[in-house]
Short mmCIF file of all heavy atoms in Angstrom, two decimals:
data_model
loop_
_atom_site.label_atom_id
_atom_site.label_comp_id
_atom_site.label_asym_id
_atom_site.label_seq_id
_atom_site.Cartn_x
_atom_site.Cartn_y
_atom_site.Cartn_z
N TYR A 103 8.32 -7.00 3.80
CA TYR A 103 8.70 -7.40 2.45
C TYR A 103 8.61 -6.18 1.55
O TYR A 103 7.72 -5.35 1.71
CB TYR A 103 7.75 -8.46 1.88
CG TYR A 103 7.79 -9.84 2.46
CD1 TYR A 103 6.91 -10.80 1.99
CD2 TYR A 103 8.68 -10.22 3.46
CE1 TYR A 103 6.90 -12.09 2.49
CE2 TYR A 103 8.68 -11.50 3.97
CZ TYR A 103 7.79 -12.44 3.48
OH TYR A 103 7.79 -13.71 3.99
N LYS A 104 9.53 -6.09 0.58
CA LYS A 104 9.46 -5.04 -0.43
C LYS A 104 8.39 -5.40 -1.45
O LYS A 104 8.13 -6.58 -1.70
CB LYS A 104 10.80 -4.89 -1.13
CG LYS A 104 11.87 -4.29 -0.26
CD LYS A 104 13.13 -4.07 -1.04
CE LYS A 104 14.17 -3.43 -0.12
NZ LYS A 104 15.38 -3.09 -0.85
N VAL A 105 7.81 -4.39 -2.05
CA VAL A 105 6.83 -4.59 -3.12
C VAL A 105 7.59 -4.46 -4.43
O VAL A 105 7.92 -3.37 -4.86
CB VAL A 105 5.68 -3.57 -3.04
CG1 VAL A 105 4.64 -3.84 -4.13
CG2 VAL A 105 5.04 -3.58 -1.66
N LYS A 106 7.85 -5.59 -5.07
CA LYS A 106 8.64 -5.60 -6.30
C LYS A 106 7.77 -5.67 -7.54
O LYS A 106 8.14 -5.14 -8.58
CB LYS A 106 9.60 -6.79 -6.28
CG LYS A 106 10.62 -6.73 -5.16
CD LYS A 106 11.49 -7.96 -5.15
CE LYS A 106 12.45 -7.93 -3.97
NZ LYS A 106 13.23 -9.16 -3.88
N ASN A 107 6.61 -6.29 -7.44
CA ASN A 107 5.73 -6.47 -8.60
C ASN A 107 5.11 -5.13 -9.00
O ASN A 107 4.46 -4.48 -8.19
CB ASN A 107 4.64 -7.49 -8.25
CG ASN A 107 3.72 -7.80 -9.40
OD1 ASN A 107 3.21 -6.92 -10.07
ND2 ASN A 107 3.50 -9.09 -9.62
N PRO A 108 5.29 -4.71 -10.26
CA PRO A 108 4.75 -3.41 -10.69
C PRO A 108 3.22 -3.33 -10.63
O PRO A 108 2.69 -2.23 -10.45
CB PRO A 108 5.25 -3.26 -12.13
CG PRO A 108 5.79 -4.57 -12.54
CD PRO A 108 6.05 -5.38 -11.32
N ASP A 109 2.53 -4.46 -10.72
CA ASP A 109 1.06 -4.45 -10.61
C ASP A 109 0.61 -4.20 -9.18
O ASP A 109 -0.49 -3.69 -8.95
CB ASP A 109 0.46 -5.77 -11.11
CG ASP A 109 0.66 -5.97 -12.59
OD1 ASP A 109 0.82 -4.97 -13.33
OD2 ASP A 109 0.67 -7.14 -13.03
N LEU A 110 1.45 -4.57 -8.21
CA LEU A 110 1.07 -4.41 -6.80
C LEU A 110 1.46 -3.06 -6.22
O LEU A 110 0.87 -2.61 -5.24
CB LEU A 110 1.69 -5.53 -5.96
CG LEU A 110 1.30 -6.96 -6.31
CD1 LEU A 110 1.96 -7.94 -5.35
CD2 LEU A 110 -0.22 -7.13 -6.30
N LYS A 111 2.45 -2.40 -6.82
CA LYS A 111 2.94 -1.13 -6.25
C LYS A 111 1.85 -0.08 -6.09
O LYS A 111 1.73 0.51 -5.01
CB LYS A 111 4.10 -0.60 -7.08
CG LYS A 111 5.38 -1.38 -6.84
CD LYS A 111 6.54 -0.82 -7.62
CE LYS A 111 7.80 -1.63 -7.30
NZ LYS A 111 8.98 -1.09 -7.97
N PRO A 112 1.01 0.19 -7.11
CA PRO A 112 -0.03 1.22 -6.89
C PRO A 112 -1.10 0.77 -5.88
O PRO A 112 -1.62 1.59 -5.14
CB PRO A 112 -0.64 1.43 -8.28
CG PRO A 112 -0.25 0.25 -9.09
CD PRO A 112 1.02 -0.28 -8.50
N LEU A 113 -1.37 -0.51 -5.83
CA LEU A 113 -2.35 -1.02 -4.86
C LEU A 113 -1.79 -0.88 -3.44
O LEU A 113 -2.51 -0.48 -2.51
CB LEU A 113 -2.70 -2.48 -5.16
CG LEU A 113 -3.28 -2.74 -6.54
CD1 LEU A 113 -3.42 -4.24 -6.79
CD2 LEU A 113 -4.61 -2.04 -6.71
N HIS A 114 -0.53 -1.20 -3.27
CA HIS A 114 0.13 -1.06 -1.98
C HIS A 114 0.14 0.40 -1.54
O HIS A 114 -0.16 0.72 -0.39
CB HIS A 114 1.56 -1.61 -2.07
CG HIS A 114 2.32 -1.50 -0.80
ND1 HIS A 114 3.19 -0.46 -0.54
CD2 HIS A 114 2.35 -2.29 0.30
CE1 HIS A 114 3.71 -0.62 0.66
NE2 HIS A 114 3.21 -1.72 1.19
N GLN A 115 0.46 1.29 -2.46
CA GLN A 115 0.48 2.72 -2.15
C GLN A 115 -0.89 3.22 -1.72
O GLN A 115 -1.01 3.95 -0.73
CB GLN A 115 0.99 3.53 -3.35
CG GLN A 115 1.11 5.01 -3.08
CD GLN A 115 2.09 5.33 -1.97
OE1 GLN A 115 3.11 4.67 -1.80
NE2 GLN A 115 1.76 6.34 -1.16
N ARG A 116 -1.93 2.83 -2.46
CA ARG A 116 -3.30 3.22 -2.07
C ARG A 116 -3.65 2.69 -0.69
O ARG A 116 -4.25 3.40 0.13
CB ARG A 116 -4.32 2.70 -3.10
CG ARG A 116 -4.54 3.66 -4.21
CD ARG A 116 -5.62 3.29 -5.20
NE ARG A 116 -6.75 2.54 -4.73
CZ ARG A 116 -7.34 1.56 -5.42
NH1 ARG A 116 -6.88 1.20 -6.60
NH2 ARG A 116 -8.40 0.95 -4.95
N ALA A 117 -3.30 1.43 -0.42
CA ALA A 117 -3.60 0.84 0.89
C ALA A 117 -2.89 1.61 2.00
O ALA A 117 -3.50 1.93 3.03
CB ALA A 117 -3.19 -0.63 0.91
N ARG A 118 -1.61 1.94 1.81
CA ARG A 118 -0.86 2.67 2.83
C ARG A 118 -1.49 4.04 3.09
O ARG A 118 -1.56 4.50 4.23
CB ARG A 118 0.61 2.83 2.43
CG ARG A 118 1.38 1.53 2.28
CD ARG A 118 1.52 0.72 3.54
NE ARG A 118 2.14 1.52 4.58
CZ ARG A 118 2.06 1.24 5.87
NH1 ARG A 118 1.42 0.17 6.28
NH2 ARG A 118 2.63 1.99 6.76
N GLU A 119 -1.93 4.71 2.03
CA GLU A 119 -2.57 6.02 2.19
C GLU A 119 -3.88 5.89 2.97
O GLU A 119 -4.19 6.74 3.82
CB GLU A 119 -2.83 6.65 0.82
CG GLU A 119 -1.55 7.11 0.13
CD GLU A 119 -1.74 7.45 -1.35
OE1 GLU A 119 -2.89 7.39 -1.85
OE2 GLU A 119 -0.74 7.79 -2.01
N MET A 120 -4.64 4.86 2.69
CA MET A 120 -5.91 4.66 3.42
C MET A 120 -5.64 4.29 4.88
O MET A 120 -6.31 4.79 5.78
CB MET A 120 -6.75 3.58 2.72
CG MET A 120 -7.24 4.01 1.34
SD MET A 120 -8.00 2.66 0.42
CE MET A 120 -9.66 2.73 1.09
N ILE A 121 -4.66 3.42 5.11
CA ILE A 121 -4.33 2.99 6.47
C ILE A 121 -3.92 4.18 7.33
O ILE A 121 -4.26 4.25 8.52
CB ILE A 121 -3.22 1.92 6.43
CG1 ILE A 121 -3.78 0.61 5.86
CG2 ILE A 121 -2.59 1.70 7.80
CD1 ILE A 121 -2.73 -0.41 5.45
N ALA A 122 -3.25 5.15 6.76
CA ALA A 122 -2.80 6.33 7.50
C ALA A 122 -3.97 7.14 8.05
O ALA A 122 -3.80 7.93 8.99
CB ALA A 122 -1.93 7.21 6.60
N ARG A 123 -5.17 6.94 7.53
CA ARG A 123 -6.35 7.69 7.98
C ARG A 123 -7.01 7.07 9.22
O ARG A 123 -7.91 7.67 9.80
CB ARG A 123 -7.35 7.80 6.84
CG ARG A 123 -6.77 8.60 5.67
CD ARG A 123 -7.57 8.52 4.41
NE ARG A 123 -8.96 8.88 4.59
CZ ARG A 123 -9.91 8.66 3.68
NH1 ARG A 123 -9.59 8.10 2.52
NH2 ARG A 123 -11.15 9.01 3.91
N PHE A 124 -6.55 5.88 9.65
CA PHE A 124 -7.13 5.24 10.83
C PHE A 124 -6.40 5.70 12.09
O PHE A 124 -5.20 6.00 12.05
CB PHE A 124 -7.01 3.71 10.73
CG PHE A 124 -7.94 3.11 9.70
CD1 PHE A 124 -7.52 2.92 8.40
CD2 PHE A 124 -9.23 2.76 10.04
CE1 PHE A 124 -8.37 2.39 7.45
CE2 PHE A 124 -10.09 2.22 9.10
CZ PHE A 124 -9.66 2.04 7.80
N GLU A 125 -7.12 5.75 13.20
CA GLU A 125 -6.49 6.04 14.49
C GLU A 125 -5.60 4.89 14.90
O GLU A 125 -4.53 5.09 15.47
CB GLU A 125 -7.56 6.28 15.56
CG GLU A 125 -8.31 7.58 15.41
CD GLU A 125 -9.40 7.73 16.46
OE1 GLU A 125 -9.39 7.00 17.48
OE2 GLU A 125 -10.28 8.58 16.25
N ALA A 126 -6.08 3.67 14.66
CA ALA A 126 -5.32 2.47 15.01
C ALA A 126 -5.57 1.43 13.93
O ALA A 126 -6.70 1.25 13.47
CB ALA A 126 -5.76 1.94 16.37
#
């Protein structure tokens, strides 16, 4: 799903950046 809500966009971005730091 696309992130359309402007309140969720920065939270989604932070989550994706944190997720990238995991091996799995």
Side-chain angles (χ1 to χ4, degrees):
Y103 290 178
K104 290 184 179 185
V105 183
K106 297 177 183 175
N107 183 311
D109 293 335
L110 299 182
K111 285 182 179 183
L113 301 173
H114 180 263
Q115 183 61 36
R116 271 186 32 219
R118 297 297 303 161
E119 289 168 3
M120 293 171 84
I121 289 166
R123 296 168 54 192
F124 289 92
E125 288 177 17

